[in-house]
Amino acid sequence: MTHPDISLLILCNHSRACMDVKEVLGSLCFDMTIAANTEEAYDLLTKRNFDIIVSEFDLDGTDGIKFLQYAASLNSFSTRLIVGSSTNEDTIIKAIIKGIACAYIDSSSNRHLIMSKLADMARVHTSMDNKRIRQIHNGSNSFPIVMNIYESLMNALNNDLPLTRIAQTVSGDVTLTSKILHVANSAFYGSFAGTSVEKAIIFMGLNTVKDIVLMHSLAANLNMTAEQNQYFEATVKHSVETNYYLNSISHIYRECSLSPLNNSVGIIHDIGKIIQLVFFPLEFQSITAYRAENPDTDYFTCEKESGNFSVNHAEVGAYFLKMWNFNQYAVESALFHHTPELASANTKACVEALFLANTLADIRDGYDLSLEEAVGRCTIVKADPSVLMNIEPPRR
């Protein structure tokens, strides 16, 4: 198993757990650079870009989160992994929600699990090298639009502001406040009956609110036409419904238990469609024209059959979620929500549940898809099509 084209930087304090990870990385044949100390690691980051960066949580004089935060500021498209133990888990999860780390390697994992996870990371990273997509931002470290509210929210999170201040960041926008409260009061969050953004954040979790804010910020800053805005609203409606079904499936089938890191991936799984309709308008028009002639055909099939698969919405969405420092669950959910067979072992249960949720939402929107066929493609989530069809639709 070789990955000579994947550059990797590893920084650790020579603990037993990190040495095990280093040994596994050596067997995967990456283009690997081992930093002798923290100072050298910072220096290396200024001299070249690395595809994957691995840091131990505990470092001499600092911690791995600060190091990865610096790495993200230089190259947001890098895959950043942190090695830690259960005692650090709460802090690491917060770092992943903030976008500092992409994923977490539990230092107690066995060698086979670590090897599988790292090989999957390399495969997913190399699968997102579409030159036409990369041309949108010409190699810069940012998206070519300003998303003020989303950026303000992320600054508040990264500065560890109190929840009241975080809520104030988004509550000044009446439309956004309405969307957050709408999701909080939907059927899945049925016991919530509040009108406060702060209470909604506590109820749903920061990651869910972050995803809603991203979708809203895109709409507010893309200068869409009336027709484009109509497609945007339809995409948002479908995404919220898909996320509802995802959480419902998770409650029925424990193989795909969700966490604060992945319980809102349904909201952003189709974000590639929104980027596609603005930055690839010719392809989008061709897809929608084909769809108008084939109203029972789902979007993904229309992309393929209309000859517009080279910049498909799954790749587009995953690419920019990765660039915006979303975690591995979010990236793979966008990338593989139509092809769950390709998901990494670490995210596979979540992606399969999302695939089923997306299929169910499409079927209920009138598209000609088979839930039985979708269930047959899943290897971890052993669902019953009739049980899925009995899930109540969300409240309108």
Side-chain angles (χ1 to χ4, degrees), residues 77 81 100-101 112 143 200 211-212 248 251 277 286 289 295 324 329 347:
F77 202 68
L81 309 177
I100 296 169
H112 175 75
F143 194 57
D211 292 348
I212 297 169
S248 298
H251 276 215
L277 74 87
S286 174
W324 289 324
Y329 284 109
T347 67

Side-chain angles (χ1 to χ4, degrees), residues 6-7 49-53 68 70-80 99-100 102 121-130 133-134 137 139-142 315-326 328 331 335:
I6 294 290
S7 59
N49 284 333
F50 291 90
D51 297 311
I52 299 176
I53 301 167
L68 292 181
Y70 179 70
S73 72
L74 296 178
N75 176 18
S76 61
F77 202 68
S78 60
T79 297
R80 298 173 301 282
I100 296 169
C102 301
M121 291 284 187
R123 177 176 57 82
V124 171
H125 185 93
T126 54
S127 70
M128 291 187 293
D129 190 30
N130 189 311
I133 298 173
R134 285 194 283 115
H137 66 106
S140 72
N141 201 35
S142 61
E315 283 190 11
V316 172
Y319 185 91
F320 284 99
L321 287 175
K322 186 170 178 61
M323 200 179 76
W324 289 324
N325 295 317
F326 276 72
Q328 200 69 14
V331 171
L335 187 60

Side-chain angles (χ1 to χ4, degrees), residues 48-174:
R48 64 175 289 196
N49 284 333
F50 291 90
D51 297 311
I52 299 176
I53 301 167
V54 180
S55 174
E56 190 172 7
F57 180 83
D58 293 311
L59 297 172
D60 291 330
T62 184
D63 62 58
I65 291 173
K66 290 178 182 176
F67 173 68
L68 292 181
Q69 188 167 26
Y70 179 70
S73 72
L74 296 178
N75 176 18
S76 61
F77 202 68
S78 60
T79 297
R80 298 173 301 282
L81 309 177
I82 191 158
V83 180
S85 65
S86 57
T87 57
N88 318 127
E89 194 165 318
D90 287 346
T91 305
I92 290 172
I93 287 174
K94 288 179 183 176
I96 294 174
I97 289 174
K98 291 178 181 180
I100 296 169
C102 301
Y104 162 47
I105 298 176
D106 188 339
S107 57
S108 65
S109 300
N110 61 52
R111 285 175 53 87
H112 175 75
L113 188 60
I114 294 172
M115 181 177 290
S116 173
K117 187 166 189 173
L118 290 166
D120 277 337
M121 291 284 187
R123 177 176 57 82
V124 171
H125 185 93
T126 54
S127 70
M128 291 187 293
D129 190 30
N130 189 311
K131 290 182 173 57
R132 289 201 61 201
I133 298 173
R134 285 194 283 115
Q135 284 171 356
I136 294 178
H137 66 106
N138 294 318
S140 72
N141 201 35
S142 61
F143 194 57
I145 59 170
V146 177
M147 298 190 294
N148 292 324
I149 299 176
Y150 179 72
E151 290 177 1
S152 296
L153 174 63
M154 292 312 297
N155 286 335
L157 290 176
N158 287 324
N159 289 322
D160 294 317
L161 295 184
L163 185 59
T164 302
R165 292 280 303 278
I166 292 172
Q168 289 172 352
T169 301
V170 299
S171 59
D173 187 309
V174 176

